[in-house]
Coordinates of all heavy atoms in Angstrom, one line a residue:
C338 N 81.8 105.7 105.5 CA 81.6 104.3 105.9 C 82.9 103.7 106.5 O 82.8 102.9 107.5 CB 81.2 103.5 104.6 SG 79.6 103.8 104.0
T339 N 84.0 104.1 105.9 CA 85.3 103.6 106.5 C 85.5 104.1 107.9 O 85.9 103.3 108.8 CB 86.5 104.0 105.5 OG1 86.2 103.5 104.2 CG2 87.8 103.5 106.1
F340 N 85.3 105.4 108.1 CA 85.4 106.0 109.4 C 84.6 105.3 110.4 O 85.0 105.0 111.5 CB 85.1 107.5 109.3 CG 85.3 108.2 110.6 CD1 86.5 108.5 111.1 CD2 84.1 108.6 111.3 CE1 86.6 109.2 112.4 CE2 84.2 109.2 112.5 CZ 85.5 109.5 113.0
I341 N 83.3 105.1 110.1 CA 82.4 104.4 111.0 C 82.8 103.0 111.3 O 82.7 102.5 112.5 CB 81.0 104.5 110.5 CG1 80.4 105.9 110.4 CG2 80.0 103.6 111.3 CD1 79.1 106.0 109.7
S342 N 83.3 102.3 110.3 CA 83.7 100.9 110.5 C 84.9 100.7 111.4 O 85.1 99.6 112.0 CB 83.9 100.2 109.1 OG 85.1 100.8 108.5
I343 N 85.8 101.7 111.4 CA 87.0 101.5 112.3 C 86.8 102.1 113.7 O 87.6 101.8 114.6 CB 88.2 102.2 111.6 CG1 88.1 103.7 111.6 CG2 88.5 101.7 110.2 CD1 89.3 104.5 111.2
L344 N 85.7 102.8 113.9 CA 85.5 103.5 115.2 C 85.5 102.5 116.4 O 86.2 102.7 117.4 CB 84.3 104.3 115.2 CG 84.4 105.7 114.7 CD1 83.0 106.4 114.8 CD2 85.4 106.5 115.4
P345 N 84.8 101.4 116.3 CA 84.8 100.4 117.4 C 86.2 100.0 117.8 O 86.5 99.9 119.0 CB 83.9 99.3 116.9 CG 83.0 99.9 115.9 CD 83.9 100.9 115.2
S346 N 87.0 99.6 116.8 CA 88.3 99.1 117.2 C 89.2 100.2 117.8 O 90.0 99.9 118.7 CB 89.0 98.5 115.9 OG 89.2 99.5 114.9
V347 N 89.1 101.4 117.3 CA 89.9 102.5 117.8 C 89.4 102.9 119.2 O 90.3 103.1 120.1 CB 89.7 103.8 116.9 CG1 90.4 105.0 117.5 CG2 90.4 103.5 115.5
F348 N 88.1 102.9 119.5 CA 87.6 103.2 120.8 C 88.1 102.1 121.8 O 88.4 102.4 122.9 CB 86.1 103.2 120.8 CG 85.5 104.5 120.3 CD1 84.2 104.6 119.8 CD2 86.2 105.7 120.3 CE1 83.6 105.8 119.4 CE2 85.7 106.9 119.9 CZ 84.4 106.9 119.4
C349 N 88.1 100.9 121.4 CA 88.5 99.8 122.2 C 90.0 99.9 122.5 O 90.4 99.7 123.7 CB 88.3 98.4 121.5 SG 88.6 97.0 122.6
L350 N 90.8 100.4 121.6 CA 92.2 100.6 121.8 C 92.5 101.7 122.8 O 93.4 101.6 123.6 CB 92.9 100.9 120.5 CG 94.4 101.0 120.5 CD1 95.1 99.7 120.9 CD2 94.9 101.5 119.1
W351 N 91.6 102.7 122.8 CA 91.7 103.8 123.7 C 91.2 103.5 125.1 O 91.9 103.7 126.1 CB 91.0 105.0 123.2 CG 91.1 106.2 124.1 CD1 90.2 106.6 125.1 CD2 92.1 107.2 124.1 NE1 90.7 107.7 125.7 CE2 91.8 108.1 125.2 CE3 93.3 107.4 123.4 CZ2 92.6 109.2 125.4 CZ3 94.1 108.5 123.6 CH2 93.8 109.4 124.7

Side-chain angles (χ1 to χ4, degrees):
C338 289
T339 302
F340 178 75
I341 293 173
S342 67
I343 68 173
L344 274 182
S346 63
V347 170
F348 280 159
C349 187
L350 184 62
W351 180 269

